[in-house]
Amino acid sequence: MQRSFAWFEKLGWRKCWDWGAPPTFGSVGSGECEIFFCLNGQGGRGGGERRPTFGPGADEAAETGVWISVWVDDVDAVHQRCLEQGIDIAWPPTDMPWGVREMHVRHPDGHVLRIGRGIGPS
């Protein structure tokens, strides 16, 4: 739990609350968004391997962690923060054919956050 709280703080989120001693449940938040954590509970766990989530070398079928989409005003600014904080970037900022500029970061447990902003159709 503490590792997840610390990872999200690097991303610019804040710890909202935790429950238990030691904590087994809690959440982080950014603006009006909040994500709940449950230690050894709900959700899949990714393999934690350092591989891209798309393109050459990716194995989308092996991705067993949870994928979460987070919409931001500036994908490139978030990318820069991730570089500065040493966060695992699984896919760099890219203008995708479905009209979104997005990047992917991988949480230490293997979960992928798709960070994006709508750009219109390409």
Side-chain angles (χ1 to χ4, degrees), residues 7 11 13 67-79 82 87-89 91-94 96 100-106 112-118:
W7 187 87
L11 195 59
W13 291 53
W67 283 48
I68 299 171
S69 290
V70 178
W71 296 98
V72 299
D73 291 330
D74 188 340
V75 175
D76 295 287
V78 173
H79 179 254
C82 291
I87 291 175
D88 179 11
I89 299 167
W91 185 257
T94 305
M96 304 305 280
V100 174
R101 180 160 183 78
E102 74 176 56
M103 63 174 284
H104 300 175
V105 295
R106 187 176 285 110
V112 175
L113 275 73
R114 296 177 72 153
I115 299 170
R117 180 177 200 282

PDB file of all heavy atoms in Angstrom, residues 7 11 13 67-79 82 87-89 91-94 96 100-106 112-118:
ATOM      1  N   TRP A   7       4.115   5.924  -5.260  1.00  0.00           N
ATOM      2  CA  TRP A   7       4.171   5.964  -6.727  1.00  0.00           C
ATOM      3  C   TRP A   7       3.213   7.015  -7.272  1.00  0.00           C
ATOM      4  O   TRP A   7       3.566   7.804  -8.138  1.00  0.00           O
ATOM      5  CB  TRP A   7       3.853   4.578  -7.299  1.00  0.00           C
ATOM      6  CG  TRP A   7       4.039   4.488  -8.777  1.00  0.00           C
ATOM      7  CD1 TRP A   7       5.193   4.204  -9.442  1.00  0.00           C
ATOM      8  CD2 TRP A   7       3.041   4.692  -9.790  1.00  0.00           C
ATOM      9  NE1 TRP A   7       4.972   4.209 -10.807  1.00  0.00           N
ATOM     10  CE2 TRP A   7       3.659   4.509 -11.040  1.00  0.00           C
ATOM     11  CE3 TRP A   7       1.682   5.012  -9.759  1.00  0.00           C
ATOM     12  CZ2 TRP A   7       2.974   4.621 -12.247  1.00  0.00           C
ATOM     13  CZ3 TRP A   7       0.997   5.135 -10.963  1.00  0.00           C
ATOM     14  CH2 TRP A   7       1.641   4.944 -12.178  1.00  0.00           C
ATOM     15  N   LEU A  11       3.440  10.793  -9.463  1.00  0.00           N
ATOM     16  CA  LEU A  11       2.623  11.157 -10.622  1.00  0.00           C
ATOM     17  C   LEU A  11       1.871  12.474 -10.389  1.00  0.00           C
ATOM     18  O   LEU A  11       1.316  13.042 -11.319  1.00  0.00           O
ATOM     19  CB  LEU A  11       1.646  10.016 -10.934  1.00  0.00           C
ATOM     20  CG  LEU A  11       0.942  10.001 -12.268  1.00  0.00           C
ATOM     21  CD1 LEU A  11       1.936   9.962 -13.425  1.00  0.00           C
ATOM     22  CD2 LEU A  11       0.002   8.811 -12.352  1.00  0.00           C
ATOM     23  N   TRP A  13      -0.491  12.822  -7.773  1.00  0.00           N
ATOM     24  CA  TRP A  13      -1.724  12.570  -7.045  1.00  0.00           C
ATOM     25  C   TRP A  13      -1.435  12.669  -5.554  1.00  0.00           C
ATOM     26  O   TRP A  13      -0.291  12.683  -5.135  1.00  0.00           O
ATOM     27  CB  TRP A  13      -2.252  11.178  -7.389  1.00  0.00           C
ATOM     28  CG  TRP A  13      -2.755  11.053  -8.800  1.00  0.00           C
ATOM     29  CD1 TRP A  13      -2.076  11.387  -9.942  1.00  0.00           C
ATOM     30  CD2 TRP A  13      -4.007  10.557  -9.216  1.00  0.00           C
ATOM     31  NE1 TRP A  13      -2.843  11.118 -11.029  1.00  0.00           N
ATOM     32  CE2 TRP A  13      -4.040  10.608 -10.620  1.00  0.00           C
ATOM     33  CE3 TRP A  13      -5.106  10.056  -8.535  1.00  0.00           C
ATOM     34  CZ2 TRP A  13      -5.143  10.184 -11.352  1.00  0.00           C
ATOM     35  CZ3 TRP A  13      -6.200   9.637  -9.266  1.00  0.00           C
ATOM     36  CH2 TRP A  13      -6.215   9.699 -10.665  1.00  0.00           C
ATOM     37  N   TRP A  67      -6.199  -1.773 -16.504  1.00  0.00           N
ATOM     38  CA  TRP A  67      -5.907  -0.578 -17.303  1.00  0.00           C
ATOM     39  C   TRP A  67      -6.869   0.516 -16.879  1.00  0.00           C
ATOM     40  O   TRP A  67      -8.077   0.286 -16.771  1.00  0.00           O
ATOM     41  CB  TRP A  67      -6.086  -0.858 -18.786  1.00  0.00           C
ATOM     42  CG  TRP A  67      -4.966  -1.618 -19.417  1.00  0.00           C
ATOM     43  CD1 TRP A  67      -4.380  -2.747 -18.937  1.00  0.00           C
ATOM     44  CD2 TRP A  67      -4.305  -1.298 -20.630  1.00  0.00           C
ATOM     45  NE1 TRP A  67      -3.398  -3.154 -19.789  1.00  0.00           N
ATOM     46  CE2 TRP A  67      -3.328  -2.291 -20.839  1.00  0.00           C
ATOM     47  CE3 TRP A  67      -4.439  -0.279 -21.564  1.00  0.00           C
ATOM     48  CZ2 TRP A  67      -2.494  -2.284 -21.943  1.00  0.00           C
ATOM     49  CZ3 TRP A  67      -3.612  -0.286 -22.661  1.00  0.00           C
ATOM     50  CH2 TRP A  67      -2.645  -1.273 -22.842  1.00  0.00           C
ATOM     51  N   ILE A  68      -6.334   1.710 -16.631  1.00  0.00           N
ATOM     52  CA  ILE A  68      -7.130   2.857 -16.210  1.00  0.00           C
ATOM     53  C   ILE A  68      -6.823   4.012 -17.154  1.00  0.00           C
ATOM     54  O   ILE A  68      -5.657   4.282 -17.433  1.00  0.00           O
ATOM     55  CB  ILE A  68      -6.774   3.269 -14.759  1.00  0.00           C
ATOM     56  CG1 ILE A  68      -7.060   2.132 -13.789  1.00  0.00           C
ATOM     57  CG2 ILE A  68      -7.521   4.542 -14.361  1.00  0.00           C
ATOM     58  CD1 ILE A  68      -6.544   2.379 -12.380  1.00  0.00           C
ATOM     59  N   SER A  69      -7.862   4.699 -17.644  1.00  0.00           N
ATOM     60  CA  SER A  69      -7.650   5.891 -18.468  1.00  0.00           C
ATOM     61  C   SER A  69      -7.758   7.136 -17.606  1.00  0.00           C
ATOM     62  O   SER A  69      -8.692   7.271 -16.818  1.00  0.00           O
ATOM     63  CB  SER A  69      -8.692   5.970 -19.585  1.00  0.00           C
ATOM     64  OG  SER A  69      -8.475   4.964 -20.534  1.00  0.00           O
ATOM     65  N   VAL A  70      -6.782   8.031 -17.765  1.00  0.00           N
ATOM     66  CA  VAL A  70      -6.760   9.296 -17.045  1.00  0.00           C
ATOM     67  C   VAL A  70      -6.652  10.398 -18.090  1.00  0.00           C
ATOM     68  O   VAL A  70      -5.727  10.401 -18.901  1.00  0.00           O
ATOM     69  CB  VAL A  70      -5.546   9.370 -16.081  1.00  0.00           C
ATOM     70  CG1 VAL A  70      -5.504  10.710 -15.376  1.00  0.00           C
ATOM     71  CG2 VAL A  70      -5.581   8.221 -15.084  1.00  0.00           C
ATOM     72  N   TRP A  71      -7.603  11.321 -18.102  1.00  0.00           N
ATOM     73  CA  TRP A  71      -7.609  12.425 -19.063  1.00  0.00           C
ATOM     74  C   TRP A  71      -6.951  13.642 -18.433  1.00  0.00           C
ATOM     75  O   TRP A  71      -7.247  13.994 -17.290  1.00  0.00           O
ATOM     76  CB  TRP A  71      -9.040  12.738 -19.496  1.00  0.00           C
ATOM     77  CG  TRP A  71      -9.633  11.579 -20.238  1.00  0.00           C
ATOM     78  CD1 TRP A  71     -10.458  10.617 -19.726  1.00  0.00           C
ATOM     79  CD2 TRP A  71      -9.409  11.229 -21.598  1.00  0.00           C
ATOM     80  NE1 TRP A  71     -10.758   9.695 -20.696  1.00  0.00           N
ATOM     81  CE2 TRP A  71     -10.131  10.047 -21.860  1.00  0.00           C
ATOM     82  CE3 TRP A  71      -8.662  11.806 -22.635  1.00  0.00           C
ATOM     83  CZ2 TRP A  71     -10.131   9.434 -23.106  1.00  0.00           C
ATOM     84  CZ3 TRP A  71      -8.665  11.183 -23.879  1.00  0.00           C
ATOM     85  CH2 TRP A  71      -9.393  10.017 -24.099  1.00  0.00           C
ATOM     86  N   VAL A  72      -6.033  14.263 -19.162  1.00  0.00           N
ATOM     87  CA  VAL A  72      -5.268  15.405 -18.667  1.00  0.00           C
ATOM     88  C   VAL A  72      -5.289  16.526 -19.703  1.00  0.00           C
ATOM     89  O   VAL A  72      -5.669  16.311 -20.854  1.00  0.00           O
ATOM     90  CB  VAL A  72      -3.801  15.007 -18.353  1.00  0.00           C
ATOM     91  CG1 VAL A  72      -3.750  13.934 -17.269  1.00  0.00           C
ATOM     92  CG2 VAL A  72      -3.078  14.532 -19.599  1.00  0.00           C
ATOM     93  N   ASP A  73      -4.860  17.717 -19.293  1.00  0.00           N
ATOM     94  CA  ASP A  73      -4.785  18.848 -20.215  1.00  0.00           C
ATOM     95  C   ASP A  73      -3.545  18.803 -21.095  1.00  0.00           C
ATOM     96  O   ASP A  73      -3.561  19.281 -22.220  1.00  0.00           O
ATOM     97  CB  ASP A  73      -4.796  20.179 -19.443  1.00  0.00           C
ATOM     98  CG  ASP A  73      -6.138  20.445 -18.783  1.00  0.00           C
ATOM     99  OD1 ASP A  73      -7.175  19.996 -19.316  1.00  0.00           O
ATOM    100  OD2 ASP A  73      -6.141  21.089 -17.714  1.00  0.00           O
ATOM    101  N   ASP A  74      -2.435  18.222 -20.588  1.00  0.00           N
ATOM    102  CA  ASP A  74      -1.164  18.264 -21.310  1.00  0.00           C
ATOM    103  C   ASP A  74      -0.397  16.951 -21.097  1.00  0.00           C
ATOM    104  O   ASP A  74       0.287  16.777 -20.091  1.00  0.00           O
ATOM    105  CB  ASP A  74      -0.341  19.459 -20.824  1.00  0.00           C
ATOM    106  CG  ASP A  74       0.913  19.709 -21.634  1.00  0.00           C
ATOM    107  OD1 ASP A  74       1.387  18.779 -22.327  1.00  0.00           O
ATOM    108  OD2 ASP A  74       1.438  20.834 -21.557  1.00  0.00           O
ATOM    109  N   VAL A  75      -0.531  16.048 -22.057  1.00  0.00           N
ATOM    110  CA  VAL A  75       0.122  14.739 -21.979  1.00  0.00           C
ATOM    111  C   VAL A  75       1.641  14.893 -21.904  1.00  0.00           C
ATOM    112  O   VAL A  75       2.314  14.184 -21.152  1.00  0.00           O
ATOM    113  CB  VAL A  75      -0.278  13.857 -23.182  1.00  0.00           C
ATOM    114  CG1 VAL A  75       0.489  12.541 -23.193  1.00  0.00           C
ATOM    115  CG2 VAL A  75      -1.773  13.597 -23.171  1.00  0.00           C
ATOM    116  N   ASP A  76       2.181  15.829 -22.675  1.00  0.00           N
ATOM    117  CA  ASP A  76       3.634  15.993 -22.711  1.00  0.00           C
ATOM    118  C   ASP A  76       4.189  16.507 -21.383  1.00  0.00           C
ATOM    119  O   ASP A  76       5.286  16.121 -20.975  1.00  0.00           O
ATOM    120  CB  ASP A  76       4.033  16.887 -23.877  1.00  0.00           C
ATOM    121  CG  ASP A  76       3.682  16.211 -25.206  1.00  0.00           C
ATOM    122  OD1 ASP A  76       4.377  15.250 -25.573  1.00  0.00           O
ATOM    123  OD2 ASP A  76       2.684  16.618 -25.845  1.00  0.00           O
ATOM    124  N   ALA A  77       3.428  17.333 -20.683  1.00  0.00           N
ATOM    125  CA  ALA A  77       3.865  17.799 -19.362  1.00  0.00           C
ATOM    126  C   ALA A  77       3.864  16.643 -18.367  1.00  0.00           C
ATOM    127  O   ALA A  77       4.783  16.513 -17.545  1.00  0.00           O
ATOM    128  CB  ALA A  77       2.960  18.933 -18.874  1.00  0.00           C
ATOM    129  N   VAL A  78       2.857  15.761 -18.441  1.00  0.00           N
ATOM    130  CA  VAL A  78       2.820  14.594 -17.568  1.00  0.00           C
ATOM    131  C   VAL A  78       3.989  13.667 -17.910  1.00  0.00           C
ATOM    132  O   VAL A  78       4.644  13.128 -17.020  1.00  0.00           O
ATOM    133  CB  VAL A  78       1.465  13.852 -17.683  1.00  0.00           C
ATOM    134  CG1 VAL A  78       1.494  12.550 -16.904  1.00  0.00           C
ATOM    135  CG2 VAL A  78       0.322  14.739 -17.202  1.00  0.00           C
ATOM    136  N   HIS A  79       4.269  13.503 -19.194  1.00  0.00           N
ATOM    137  CA  HIS A  79       5.406  12.680 -19.624  1.00  0.00           C
ATOM    138  C   HIS A  79       6.709  13.214 -19.020  1.00  0.00           C
ATOM    139  O   HIS A  79       7.519  12.442 -18.491  1.00  0.00           O
ATOM    140  CB  HIS A  79       5.484  12.654 -21.153  1.00  0.00           C
ATOM    141  CG  HIS A  79       6.618  11.859 -21.677  1.00  0.00           C
ATOM    142  ND1 HIS A  79       7.733  12.445 -22.227  1.00  0.00           N
ATOM    143  CD2 HIS A  79       6.816  10.520 -21.730  1.00  0.00           C
ATOM    144  CE1 HIS A  79       8.571  11.492 -22.604  1.00  0.00           C
ATOM    145  NE2 HIS A  79       8.046  10.323 -22.321  1.00  0.00           N
ATOM    146  N   CYS A  82       6.903  12.329 -15.408  1.00  0.00           N
ATOM    147  CA  CYS A  82       7.201  10.902 -15.240  1.00  0.00           C
ATOM    148  C   CYS A  82       8.687  10.624 -15.459  1.00  0.00           C
ATOM    149  O   CYS A  82       9.288   9.834 -14.724  1.00  0.00           O
ATOM    150  CB  CYS A  82       6.355  10.067 -16.190  1.00  0.00           C
ATOM    151  SG  CYS A  82       4.602  10.059 -15.762  1.00  0.00           S
ATOM    152  N   ILE A  87       9.346   7.187 -13.342  1.00  0.00           N
ATOM    153  CA  ILE A  87       8.198   6.299 -13.502  1.00  0.00           C
ATOM    154  C   ILE A  87       8.373   5.481 -14.781  1.00  0.00           C
ATOM    155  O   ILE A  87       8.830   5.992 -15.804  1.00  0.00           O
ATOM    156  CB  ILE A  87       6.890   7.124 -13.525  1.00  0.00           C
ATOM    157  CG1 ILE A  87       6.638   7.709 -12.129  1.00  0.00           C
ATOM    158  CG2 ILE A  87       5.714   6.283 -13.993  1.00  0.00           C
ATOM    159  CD1 ILE A  87       5.443   8.633 -12.046  1.00  0.00           C
ATOM    160  N   ASP A  88       7.997   4.198 -14.744  1.00  0.00           N
ATOM    161  CA  ASP A  88       8.102   3.291 -15.892  1.00  0.00           C
ATOM    162  C   ASP A  88       7.131   3.739 -16.981  1.00  0.00           C
ATOM    163  O   ASP A  88       5.910   3.623 -16.829  1.00  0.00           O
ATOM    164  CB  ASP A  88       7.789   1.862 -15.436  1.00  0.00           C
ATOM    165  CG  ASP A  88       7.837   0.831 -16.551  1.00  0.00           C
ATOM    166  OD1 ASP A  88       8.317   1.146 -17.661  1.00  0.00           O
ATOM    167  OD2 ASP A  88       7.403  -0.306 -16.298  1.00  0.00           O
ATOM    168  N   ILE A  89       7.666   4.252 -18.071  1.00  0.00           N
ATOM    169  CA  ILE A  89       6.854   4.682 -19.211  1.00  0.00           C
ATOM    170  C   ILE A  89       6.814   3.524 -20.200  1.00  0.00           C
ATOM    171  O   ILE A  89       7.830   3.145 -20.772  1.00  0.00           O
ATOM    172  CB  ILE A  89       7.438   5.950 -19.859  1.00  0.00           C
ATOM    173  CG1 ILE A  89       7.447   7.083 -18.832  1.00  0.00           C
ATOM    174  CG2 ILE A  89       6.652   6.329 -21.108  1.00  0.00           C
ATOM    175  CD1 ILE A  89       8.259   8.284 -19.238  1.00  0.00           C
ATOM    176  N   TRP A  91       4.733   3.386 -22.911  1.00  0.00           N
ATOM    177  CA  TRP A  91       4.440   3.885 -24.254  1.00  0.00           C
ATOM    178  C   TRP A  91       4.577   5.398 -24.203  1.00  0.00           C
ATOM    179  O   TRP A  91       3.925   6.049 -23.379  1.00  0.00           O
ATOM    180  CB  TRP A  91       3.026   3.480 -24.671  1.00  0.00           C
ATOM    181  CG  TRP A  91       2.652   3.846 -26.069  1.00  0.00           C
ATOM    182  CD1 TRP A  91       1.851   4.897 -26.452  1.00  0.00           C
ATOM    183  CD2 TRP A  91       3.031   3.196 -27.275  1.00  0.00           C
ATOM    184  NE1 TRP A  91       1.730   4.921 -27.809  1.00  0.00           N
ATOM    185  CE2 TRP A  91       2.455   3.883 -28.343  1.00  0.00           C
ATOM    186  CE3 TRP A  91       3.830   2.082 -27.554  1.00  0.00           C
ATOM    187  CZ2 TRP A  91       2.624   3.506 -29.664  1.00  0.00           C
ATOM    188  CZ3 TRP A  91       3.999   1.710 -28.869  1.00  0.00           C
ATOM    189  CH2 TRP A  91       3.396   2.414 -29.905  1.00  0.00           C
ATOM    190  N   PRO A  92       5.416   5.991 -25.044  1.00  0.00           N
ATOM    191  CA  PRO A  92       5.630   7.436 -24.996  1.00  0.00           C
ATOM    192  C   PRO A  92       4.435   8.200 -25.578  1.00  0.00           C
ATOM    193  O   PRO A  92       3.595   7.610 -26.271  1.00  0.00           O
ATOM    194  CB  PRO A  92       6.875   7.627 -25.864  1.00  0.00           C
ATOM    195  CG  PRO A  92       6.795   6.509 -26.856  1.00  0.00           C
ATOM    196  CD  PRO A  92       6.209   5.338 -26.097  1.00  0.00           C
ATOM    197  N   PRO A  93       4.347   9.510 -25.355  1.00  0.00           N
ATOM    198  CA  PRO A  93       3.250  10.297 -25.933  1.00  0.00           C
ATOM    199  C   PRO A  93       3.203  10.114 -27.453  1.00  0.00           C
ATOM    200  O   PRO A  93       4.206  10.294 -28.139  1.00  0.00           O
ATOM    201  CB  PRO A  93       3.607  11.738 -25.576  1.00  0.00           C
ATOM    202  CG  PRO A  93       4.451  11.617 -24.351  1.00  0.00           C
ATOM    203  CD  PRO A  93       5.236  10.349 -24.543  1.00  0.00           C
ATOM    204  N   THR A  94       2.022   9.709 -27.933  1.00  0.00           N
ATOM    205  CA  THR A  94       1.834   9.402 -29.349  1.00  0.00           C
ATOM    206  C   THR A  94       0.447   9.854 -29.773  1.00  0.00           C
ATOM    207  O   THR A  94      -0.523   9.622 -29.040  1.00  0.00           O
ATOM    208  CB  THR A  94       1.976   7.871 -29.589  1.00  0.00           C
ATOM    209  OG1 THR A  94       3.234   7.430 -29.074  1.00  0.00           O
ATOM    210  CG2 THR A  94       1.869   7.523 -31.053  1.00  0.00           C
ATOM    211  N   MET A  96      -2.600   8.980 -31.513  1.00  0.00           N
ATOM    212  CA  MET A  96      -3.155   7.691 -31.922  1.00  0.00           C
ATOM    213  C   MET A  96      -4.248   7.890 -32.979  1.00  0.00           C
ATOM    214  O   MET A  96      -4.890   8.948 -33.021  1.00  0.00           O
ATOM    215  CB  MET A  96      -3.724   6.964 -30.703  1.00  0.00           C
ATOM    216  CG  MET A  96      -2.698   6.766 -29.577  1.00  0.00           C
ATOM    217  SD  MET A  96      -1.187   5.926 -30.089  1.00  0.00           S
ATOM    218  CE  MET A  96      -1.750   4.240 -30.069  1.00  0.00           C
ATOM    219  N   VAL A 100      -6.668  10.486 -30.022  1.00  0.00           N
ATOM    220  CA  VAL A 100      -6.197  10.756 -28.668  1.00  0.00           C
ATOM    221  C   VAL A 100      -4.668  10.804 -28.677  1.00  0.00           C
ATOM    222  O   VAL A 100      -4.031   9.963 -29.296  1.00  0.00           O
ATOM    223  CB  VAL A 100      -6.674   9.656 -27.679  1.00  0.00           C
ATOM    224  CG1 VAL A 100      -6.068   9.841 -26.302  1.00  0.00           C
ATOM    225  CG2 VAL A 100      -8.192   9.639 -27.596  1.00  0.00           C
ATOM    226  N   ARG A 101      -4.100  11.813 -28.035  1.00  0.00           N
ATOM    227  CA  ARG A 101      -2.666  11.799 -27.753  1.00  0.00           C
ATOM    228  C   ARG A 101      -2.541  11.103 -26.414  1.00  0.00           C
ATOM    229  O   ARG A 101      -3.130  11.538 -25.417  1.00  0.00           O
ATOM    230  CB  ARG A 101      -2.088  13.208 -27.689  1.00  0.00           C
ATOM    231  CG  ARG A 101      -0.584  13.216 -27.385  1.00  0.00           C
ATOM    232  CD  ARG A 101       0.063  14.529 -27.784  1.00  0.00           C
ATOM    233  NE  ARG A 101       1.493  14.529 -27.581  1.00  0.00           N
ATOM    234  CZ  ARG A 101       2.398  13.943 -28.381  1.00  0.00           C
ATOM    235  NH1 ARG A 101       1.992  13.313 -29.473  1.00  0.00           N
ATOM    236  NH2 ARG A 101       3.686  14.007 -28.116  1.00  0.00           N
ATOM    237  N   GLU A 102      -1.841   9.977 -26.384  1.00  0.00           N
ATOM    238  CA  GLU A 102      -1.780   9.229 -25.131  1.00  0.00           C
ATOM    239  C   GLU A 102      -0.404   8.643 -24.898  1.00  0.00           C
ATOM    240  O   GLU A 102       0.404   8.498 -25.806  1.00  0.00           O
ATOM    241  CB  GLU A 102      -2.850   8.141 -25.065  1.00  0.00           C
ATOM    242  CG  GLU A 102      -2.629   6.922 -25.894  1.00  0.00           C
ATOM    243  CD  GLU A 102      -3.728   5.884 -25.665  1.00  0.00           C
ATOM    244  OE1 GLU A 102      -4.916   6.199 -25.845  1.00  0.00           O
ATOM    245  OE2 GLU A 102      -3.379   4.750 -25.306  1.00  0.00           O
ATOM    246  N   MET A 103      -0.177   8.360 -23.642  1.00  0.00           N
ATOM    247  CA  MET A 103       1.022   7.664 -23.190  1.00  0.00           C
ATOM    248  C   MET A 103       0.575   6.652 -22.146  1.00  0.00           C
ATOM    249  O   MET A 103      -0.540   6.743 -21.627  1.00  0.00           O
ATOM    250  CB  MET A 103       2.030   8.645 -22.582  1.00  0.00           C
ATOM    251  CG  MET A 103       1.525   9.360 -21.340  1.00  0.00           C
ATOM    252  SD  MET A 103       2.747  10.378 -20.511  1.00  0.00           S
ATOM    253  CE  MET A 103       3.735   9.144 -19.687  1.00  0.00           C
ATOM    254  N   HIS A 104       1.424   5.670 -21.866  1.00  0.00           N
ATOM    255  CA  HIS A 104       1.110   4.661 -20.860  1.00  0.00           C
ATOM    256  C   HIS A 104       2.208   4.636 -19.817  1.00  0.00           C
ATOM    257  O   HIS A 104       3.395   4.708 -20.166  1.00  0.00           O
ATOM    258  CB  HIS A 104       1.012   3.267 -21.486  1.00  0.00           C
ATOM    259  CG  HIS A 104      -0.029   3.145 -22.534  1.00  0.00           C
ATOM    260  ND1 HIS A 104      -0.201   2.002 -23.269  1.00  0.00           N
ATOM    261  CD2 HIS A 104      -0.955   4.020 -23.003  1.00  0.00           C
ATOM    262  CE1 HIS A 104      -1.182   2.167 -24.137  1.00  0.00           C
ATOM    263  NE2 HIS A 104      -1.650   3.389 -23.993  1.00  0.00           N
ATOM    264  N   VAL A 105       1.831   4.524 -18.560  1.00  0.00           N
ATOM    265  CA  VAL A 105       2.781   4.303 -17.479  1.00  0.00           C
ATOM    266  C   VAL A 105       2.366   3.029 -16.754  1.00  0.00           C
ATOM    267  O   VAL A 105       1.184   2.692 -16.700  1.00  0.00           O
ATOM    268  CB  VAL A 105       2.874   5.497 -16.493  1.00  0.00           C
ATOM    269  CG1 VAL A 105       3.422   6.728 -17.192  1.00  0.00           C
ATOM    270  CG2 VAL A 105       1.537   5.809 -15.851  1.00  0.00           C
ATOM    271  N   ARG A 106       3.357   2.311 -16.236  1.00  0.00           N
ATOM    272  CA  ARG A 106       3.079   1.051 -15.546  1.00  0.00           C
ATOM    273  C   ARG A 106       3.386   1.198 -14.059  1.00  0.00           C
ATOM    274  O   ARG A 106       4.485   1.560 -13.671  1.00  0.00           O
ATOM    275  CB  ARG A 106       3.906  -0.088 -16.145  1.00  0.00           C
ATOM    276  CG  ARG A 106       3.516  -1.455 -15.574  1.00  0.00           C
ATOM    277  CD  ARG A 106       4.268  -2.619 -16.222  1.00  0.00           C
ATOM    278  NE  ARG A 106       3.753  -2.879 -17.552  1.00  0.00           N
ATOM    279  CZ  ARG A 106       4.445  -2.631 -18.691  1.00  0.00           C
ATOM    280  NH1 ARG A 106       5.649  -2.142 -18.647  1.00  0.00           N
ATOM    281  NH2 ARG A 106       3.913  -2.899 -19.852  1.00  0.00           N
ATOM    282  N   VAL A 112      -1.626  -0.591 -15.712  1.00  0.00           N
ATOM    283  CA  VAL A 112      -1.269   0.414 -16.718  1.00  0.00           C
ATOM    284  C   VAL A 112      -2.231   1.589 -16.639  1.00  0.00           C
ATOM    285  O   VAL A 112      -3.448   1.395 -16.651  1.00  0.00           O
ATOM    286  CB  VAL A 112      -1.286  -0.202 -18.136  1.00  0.00           C
ATOM    287  CG1 VAL A 112      -1.047   0.863 -19.194  1.00  0.00           C
ATOM    288  CG2 VAL A 112      -0.247  -1.305 -18.248  1.00  0.00           C
ATOM    289  N   LEU A 113      -1.683   2.805 -16.559  1.00  0.00           N
ATOM    290  CA  LEU A 113      -2.483   4.018 -16.655  1.00  0.00           C
ATOM    291  C   LEU A 113      -2.289   4.588 -18.047  1.00  0.00           C
ATOM    292  O   LEU A 113      -1.162   4.859 -18.468  1.00  0.00           O
ATOM    293  CB  LEU A 113      -2.061   5.061 -15.616  1.00  0.00           C
ATOM    294  CG  LEU A 113      -2.703   4.906 -14.239  1.00  0.00           C
ATOM    295  CD1 LEU A 113      -2.102   3.728 -13.513  1.00  0.00           C
ATOM    296  CD2 LEU A 113      -2.574   6.182 -13.457  1.00  0.00           C
ATOM    297  N   ARG A 114      -3.394   4.728 -18.784  1.00  0.00           N
ATOM    298  CA  ARG A 114      -3.384   5.335 -20.107  1.00  0.00           C
ATOM    299  C   ARG A 114      -3.693   6.812 -19.885  1.00  0.00           C
ATOM    300  O   ARG A 114      -4.807   7.164 -19.524  1.00  0.00           O
ATOM    301  CB  ARG A 114      -4.440   4.703 -20.998  1.00  0.00           C
ATOM    302  CG  ARG A 114      -4.193   3.238 -21.269  1.00  0.00           C
ATOM    303  CD  ARG A 114      -5.293   2.639 -22.089  1.00  0.00           C
ATOM    304  NE  ARG A 114      -5.205   3.135 -23.464  1.00  0.00           N
ATOM    305  CZ  ARG A 114      -5.656   2.451 -24.511  1.00  0.00           C
ATOM    306  NH1 ARG A 114      -6.210   1.267 -24.345  1.00  0.00           N
ATOM    307  NH2 ARG A 114      -5.552   2.958 -25.706  1.00  0.00           N
ATOM    308  N   ILE A 115      -2.703   7.653 -20.103  1.00  0.00           N
ATOM    309  CA  ILE A 115      -2.835   9.090 -19.857  1.00  0.00           C
ATOM    310  C   ILE A 115      -3.032   9.756 -21.208  1.00  0.00           C
ATOM    311  O   ILE A 115      -2.178   9.624 -22.095  1.00  0.00           O
ATOM    312  CB  ILE A 115      -1.591   9.615 -19.120  1.00  0.00           C
ATOM    313  CG1 ILE A 115      -1.475   8.892 -17.773  1.00  0.00           C
ATOM    314  CG2 ILE A 115      -1.668  11.128 -18.960  1.00  0.00           C
ATOM    315  CD1 ILE A 115      -0.182   9.137 -17.049  1.00  0.00           C
ATOM    316  N   GLY A 116      -4.158  10.438 -21.389  1.00  0.00           N
ATOM    317  CA  GLY A 116      -4.462  10.955 -22.715  1.00  0.00           C
ATOM    318  C   GLY A 116      -5.212  12.268 -22.723  1.00  0.00           C
ATOM    319  O   GLY A 116      -5.682  12.760 -21.703  1.00  0.00           O
ATOM    320  N   ARG A 117      -5.311  12.794 -23.957  1.00  0.00           N
ATOM    321  CA  ARG A 117      -6.054  14.022 -24.238  1.00  0.00           C
ATOM    322  C   ARG A 117      -6.612  13.901 -25.640  1.00  0.00           C
ATOM    323  O   ARG A 117      -5.899  13.521 -26.573  1.00  0.00           O
ATOM    324  CB  ARG A 117      -5.125  15.214 -24.155  1.00  0.00           C
ATOM    325  CG  ARG A 117      -5.818  16.536 -24.426  1.00  0.00           C
ATOM    326  CD  ARG A 117      -4.837  17.704 -24.251  1.00  0.00           C
ATOM    327  NE  ARG A 117      -5.502  18.958 -24.051  1.00  0.00           N
ATOM    328  CZ  ARG A 117      -6.057  19.680 -25.032  1.00  0.00           C
ATOM    329  NH1 ARG A 117      -6.037  19.243 -26.257  1.00  0.00           N
ATOM    330  NH2 ARG A 117      -6.642  20.821 -24.759  1.00  0.00           N
ATOM    331  N   GLY A 118      -7.880  14.222 -25.824  1.00  0.00           N
ATOM    332  CA  GLY A 118      -8.488  14.180 -27.149  1.00  0.00           C
ATOM    333  C   GLY A 118      -7.850  15.197 -28.080  1.00  0.00           C
ATOM    334  O   GLY A 118      -7.589  16.334 -27.678  1.00  0.00           O
TER     335      GLY A 118
END
